Amino acid sequence: MTAPVPLNPLAGLLASKPPRRDTFEGWQYYRRMRRAFVPAPRLSLDEWRSMSPRQRSLHNLLRTATHVNLPLQETPMSLKVARLVQRRISNNALKVTAATWPGVMISGWGYQGKTETVCEVAADFEDSWQDLNEFMNPGVTPGTRALHSPVAYVQTPVTAKPKSTCEAILHFFGANTRNLTLPQLVRQVAGSLDDHGVRVLILDDITRLRLHRADDQDALDLVRAFMSMNVTLILIGVDIVGSGLLRGAKWDKRERQWVVPPPENARIHGLEVTQTERRFELVELDRFRYTTPRDIQAFHDYLGGLEDGLRLFNAEPGMLTEGGMPEYLMRRTGGVVGLLNRLIEDGAKEAIDGGRELLDEDLLDEIIISLDDPGRDPEAGEVPTIPAPLPSAENQAAAKPRRKRNTVFDDDGPVAAQAQG
């Protein structure tokens, strides 16, 4: 008997485009639907052939949808980040003192799953927080009705200025920002975070801030001020250390983590800089490595998860985990999770369309991916140069050219800084 093809997942996929997460409605949709996708049933080739042409076409479409919506897998790297974020969010949410809540910075190269890891943890927190409060805002004024949003997800504006940053946060709640001055915007942000019961404020793509621009420096000062509004501030960015957002961060080989030492000029500038830096804990979401037995096993486990989610008729157990395939996939993707997923997704699509119904090196060789931008490799020295701060107007004429320093990396992180003229 032919297995039925469920049409509900297809109907939901084809009916409309999911809203973005940077609005209240879009975040709520993501939170509710992030695990709602129903993958294609596992059919044999004979069962598929017994279908009508239309049924076969629909099943192929559902198989492709399954391959591009594989469930988020935990990795040792993402688990480290998730535990820190979950701990910080949970602890802060229970604070009753007026002390500034510590925040977290999530750094890493592109396509490594920073945003998805953080959003998954934040959505889990909101699920439990809403349930704990019976889906009511515990701080709402009696007799009024307001949106309860324990989590707010915001994209840092491309041209980040204090006003545009405030407007991006208020856009999440659909608030009117026309003709408001900066002080009014700041007050409205503080009021919105409080009125809607926000406990977690996520600012993604924070490295769009370029600290050689005065407006961006003012925007970063504003972001730091948000920490006094009783929210857990989570900043996500590509290469936060290299971007200049943190001054003097160093790699701890023993802990395999970035640490921020106290500033040398703290006595000159007072304690404010030290306090600001200590309010954030920086964690790196790294790519897969293939150097130790533990690293290799973690990579194989991840490939096994991908293989289990595929719906290819000629796939055999061990298709991605045995022989030379793990080494091939590591070589093609550099261990970057997003690139690995994309290679498998595109390869599965080619395997279905071409009728091969399996993944091997010959087929994957036909899939073009690039390591240059999204999977930038710090070991290869692919680190963006951070512009030096602009001298003040009165000193521009007498300012001397600054010497740039490029960071050199090894397997344990940055090891030296070489000066260039």
Side-chain angles (χ1 to χ4, degrees):
M1 181 176 180
T2 302
V5 179
L7 297 182
N8 286 340
L10 285 176
L13 286 171
L14 301 177
S16 63
K17 182 178 179 181
R20 291 171 43 169
R21 286 183 288 207
D22 59 355
T23 65
F24 175 78
E25 294 78 11
W27 173 262
Q28 295 303 318
Y29 179 90
Y30 159 75
R31 183 176 67 85
R32 294 192 306 266
M33 304 299 293
R34 68 189 190 279
R35 298 170 186 156
F37 178 77
V38 179
R42 297 180 185 275
L43 303 182
S44 68
L45 184 56
D46 289 339
E47 289 175 322
W48 180 80
R49 285 173 175 167
S50 68
M51 293 177 173
S52 68
R54 174 172 170 78
Q55 286 180 320
R56 289 198 297 267
S57 178
L58 287 174
H59 186 67
N60 285 349
L61 184 60
L62 185 53
R63 286 199 292 155
T64 299
T66 298
H67 298 154
V68 301
N69 291 286
L70 293 173
L72 185 67
Q73 291 191 68
E74 282 186 349
T75 68
M77 305 84 71
S78 67
L79 187 58
K80 179 181 180 181
V81 172
R83 284 175 174 169
L84 171 61
V85 174
Q86 192 275 338
R87 183 171 64 246
R88 187 66 64 245
I89 290 175
S90 299
N91 287 351
N92 285 349
L94 298 176
K95 290 182 182 293
V96 295
T97 64
T100 300
W101 294 6
V104 182
M105 287 186 173
I106 314 298
S107 182
W109 300 101
Y111 269 63
Q112 291 182 184
K114 302 180 298 297
T115 297
E116 295 307 316
T117 298
V118 170
C119 286
E120 182 70 21
V121 174
D124 282 343
F125 162 76
E126 180 164 340
D127 288 344
S128 60
W129 191 256
Q130 292 276 26
D131 182 66
L132 181 65
N133 292 284
E134 298 180 344
F135 297 89
M136 297 290 292
N137 186 349
V140 72
T141 302
T144 64
R145 182 169 179 250
L147 298 176
H148 184 204
S149 181
V151 176
Y153 172 85
V154 178
Q155 285 276 345
T156 305
V158 176
T159 54
K161 298 180 180 181
K163 289 191 69 173
S164 63
T165 303
C166 287
E167 289 169 347
I169 296 173
L170 293 172
H171 169 74
F172 180 86
F173 303 106
N176 182 18
T177 60
R178 293 185 61 184
N179 302 323
L180 295 182
T181 64
L182 178 58
Q184 290 173 327
L185 287 169
V186 174
R187 286 195 296 270
Q188 188 163 341
V189 167
S192 293
L193 295 177
D194 187 52
D195 292 343
H196 300 305
V198 176
R199 299 286 173 149
V200 181
L201 176 60
I202 302 170
L203 291 180
D204 205 351
D205 293 324
I206 193 64
T207 42
R208 286 176 174 172
L209 296 178
R210 295 290 183 263
L211 299 189
H212 64 291
R213 298 190 298 234
D215 285 335
D216 296 54
Q217 293 180 18
D218 293 339
L220 181 59
D221 290 338
L222 176 66
V223 168
R224 289 166 176 163
F226 292 154
M227 301 184 74
S228 64
M229 299 179 185
N230 290 345
V231 296
T232 300
L233 192 58
I234 301 178
L235 308 182
I236 307 172
V238 173
D239 186 26
I240 286 179
V241 177
S243 72
L245 288 178
L246 287 176
R247 175 178 46 81
K250 296 182 180 179
W251 182 262
D252 188 320
K253 290 185 177 181
R254 176 176 297 179
E255 298 296 330
R256 291 188 63 82
Q257 193 54 265
W258 294 98
V259 295
V260 184
E264 297 177 359
N265 57 353
R267 294 184 179 180
I268 299 176
H269 297 289
L271 296 178
E272 181 178 356
V273 175
T274 304
Q275 291 172 348
T276 299
E277 290 179 343
R278 288 177 178 174
R279 287 174 181 174
F280 286 100
E281 187 164 356
L282 176 66
V283 61
E284 185 87 8
L285 184 55
D286 201 1
R287 58 189 173 87
F288 277 108
R289 305 283 176 168
Y290 211 76
T291 53
T292 69
R294 186 175 181 179
D295 293 338
I296 295 172
Q297 185 60 52
F299 187 62
H300 280 232
D301 290 344
Y302 188 84
L303 294 181
L306 291 178
E307 182 179 308
D308 185 62
L310 297 178
R311 301 294 192 265
L312 299 176
F313 296 134
N314 293 330
E316 296 289 340
M319 179 179 64
L320 299 182
T321 58
E322 296 180 359
M325 183 59 79
E327 290 78 9
Y328 170 84
L329 294 173
M330 175 62 70
R331 185 170 63 253
R332 285 293 309 277
T333 65
V336 178
V337 170
L339 293 181
L340 175 60
N341 289 351
R342 196 172 75 193
L343 178 62
I344 298 303
E345 291 172 10
D346 291 355
K349 173 65 173 173
E350 185 67 24
I352 292 174
D353 292 346
R356 299 172 68 175
E357 293 292 342
L358 60 83
L359 298 179
D360 56 23
E361 293 185 21
D362 290 338
L363 183 144
L364 294 177
D365 279 341
E366 301 173 6
I367 308 299
I368 299 175
I369 59 173
S370 174
L371 286 169
D372 294 339
D373 185 22
R376 193 180 297 168
D377 185 2
E379 295 183 0
E382 296 169 349
V383 181
T385 301
I386 306 304
L390 293 177
S392 59
E394 58 271 18
N395 295 330
Q396 280 187 356
K400 296 181 180 180
R402 297 176 181 266
R403 292 168 64 84
K404 297 179 180 178
R405 301 176 68 84
N406 288 342
T407 305
V408 179
F409 288 75
D410 67 3
D411 282 342
D412 293 320
V415 296
Q418 297 178 343
Q420 292 184 346

Short mmCIF file of all heavy atoms in Angstrom, two decimals, residues 241 248-252 257-261 414:
data_model
loop_
_atom_site.label_atom_id
_atom_site.label_comp_id
_atom_site.label_asym_id
_atom_site.label_seq_id
_atom_site.Cartn_x
_atom_site.Cartn_y
_atom_site.Cartn_z
N VAL A 241 36.14 40.69 18.15
CA VAL A 241 37.46 41.13 18.60
C VAL A 241 38.15 41.94 17.51
O VAL A 241 38.66 43.03 17.76
CB VAL A 241 38.32 39.92 19.00
CG1 VAL A 241 39.72 40.37 19.39
CG2 VAL A 241 37.67 39.18 20.16
N GLY A 248 41.70 45.29 23.42
CA GLY A 248 42.67 44.51 24.15
C GLY A 248 42.26 43.10 24.49
O GLY A 248 42.83 42.50 25.40
N ALA A 249 41.26 42.53 23.81
CA ALA A 249 40.86 41.16 24.10
C ALA A 249 41.99 40.20 23.72
O ALA A 249 42.66 40.38 22.72
CB ALA A 249 39.58 40.81 23.34
N LYS A 250 42.20 39.17 24.53
CA LYS A 250 43.25 38.19 24.28
C LYS A 250 42.67 36.79 24.34
O LYS A 250 41.67 36.54 24.99
CB LYS A 250 44.37 38.34 25.32
CG LYS A 250 45.09 39.68 25.24
CD LYS A 250 46.20 39.76 26.26
CE LYS A 250 46.92 41.09 26.18
NZ LYS A 250 48.01 41.19 27.19
N TRP A 251 43.36 35.85 23.65
CA TRP A 251 42.91 34.47 23.58
C TRP A 251 43.55 33.66 24.70
O TRP A 251 44.77 33.62 24.84
CB TRP A 251 43.28 33.89 22.23
CG TRP A 251 42.82 32.47 22.01
CD1 TRP A 251 43.55 31.33 22.17
CD2 TRP A 251 41.52 32.04 21.58
NE1 TRP A 251 42.80 30.23 21.86
CE2 TRP A 251 41.55 30.63 21.50
CE3 TRP A 251 40.35 32.71 21.25
CZ2 TRP A 251 40.46 29.89 21.11
CZ3 TRP A 251 39.25 31.97 20.86
CH2 TRP A 251 39.31 30.58 20.80
N ASP A 252 42.75 33.02 25.52
CA ASP A 252 43.22 32.16 26.59
C ASP A 252 43.30 30.73 26.05
O ASP A 252 42.28 30.09 25.82
CB ASP A 252 42.26 32.23 27.78
CG ASP A 252 42.80 31.51 29.01
OD1 ASP A 252 43.40 30.42 28.85
OD2 ASP A 252 42.63 32.03 30.12
N GLN A 257 39.11 30.53 25.01
CA GLN A 257 38.10 31.57 25.04
C GLN A 257 38.77 32.94 25.07
O GLN A 257 39.94 33.06 25.45
CB GLN A 257 37.20 31.41 26.26
CG GLN A 257 35.95 32.26 26.22
CD GLN A 257 35.17 32.01 24.95
OE1 GLN A 257 35.32 32.72 23.97
NE2 GLN A 257 34.36 30.97 24.96
N TRP A 258 38.02 33.97 24.62
CA TRP A 258 38.53 35.34 24.67
C TRP A 258 38.36 35.91 26.07
O TRP A 258 37.34 35.71 26.72
CB TRP A 258 37.77 36.21 23.67
CG TRP A 258 38.02 35.83 22.24
CD1 TRP A 258 37.23 35.06 21.45
CD2 TRP A 258 39.13 36.20 21.43
NE1 TRP A 258 37.77 34.92 20.21
CE2 TRP A 258 38.94 35.62 20.15
CE3 TRP A 258 40.26 36.97 21.65
CZ2 TRP A 258 39.85 35.78 19.12
CZ3 TRP A 258 41.16 37.14 20.61
CH2 TRP A 258 40.96 36.54 19.36
N VAL A 259 39.37 36.63 26.54
CA VAL A 259 39.28 37.32 27.82
C VAL A 259 39.66 38.78 27.61
O VAL A 259 40.46 39.11 26.74
CB VAL A 259 40.21 36.69 28.88
CG1 VAL A 259 39.78 35.27 29.20
CG2 VAL A 259 41.67 36.70 28.41
N VAL A 260 39.06 39.64 28.40
CA VAL A 260 39.30 41.08 28.27
C VAL A 260 40.04 41.54 29.51
O VAL A 260 39.46 41.62 30.59
CB VAL A 260 37.97 41.85 28.13
CG1 VAL A 260 38.24 43.33 27.91
CG2 VAL A 260 37.15 41.28 26.99
N PRO A 261 41.33 41.84 29.40
CA PRO A 261 42.08 42.29 30.56
C PRO A 261 41.68 43.71 30.94
O PRO A 261 41.15 44.46 30.11
CB PRO A 261 43.54 42.24 30.07
CG PRO A 261 43.43 42.45 28.60
CD PRO A 261 42.14 41.79 28.19
N PRO A 414 44.60 33.67 18.14
CA PRO A 414 45.61 34.62 17.74
C PRO A 414 46.84 34.48 18.62
O PRO A 414 46.74 34.37 19.83
CB PRO A 414 44.91 35.97 17.94
CG PRO A 414 43.87 35.70 18.96
CD PRO A 414 43.45 34.29 18.77
#
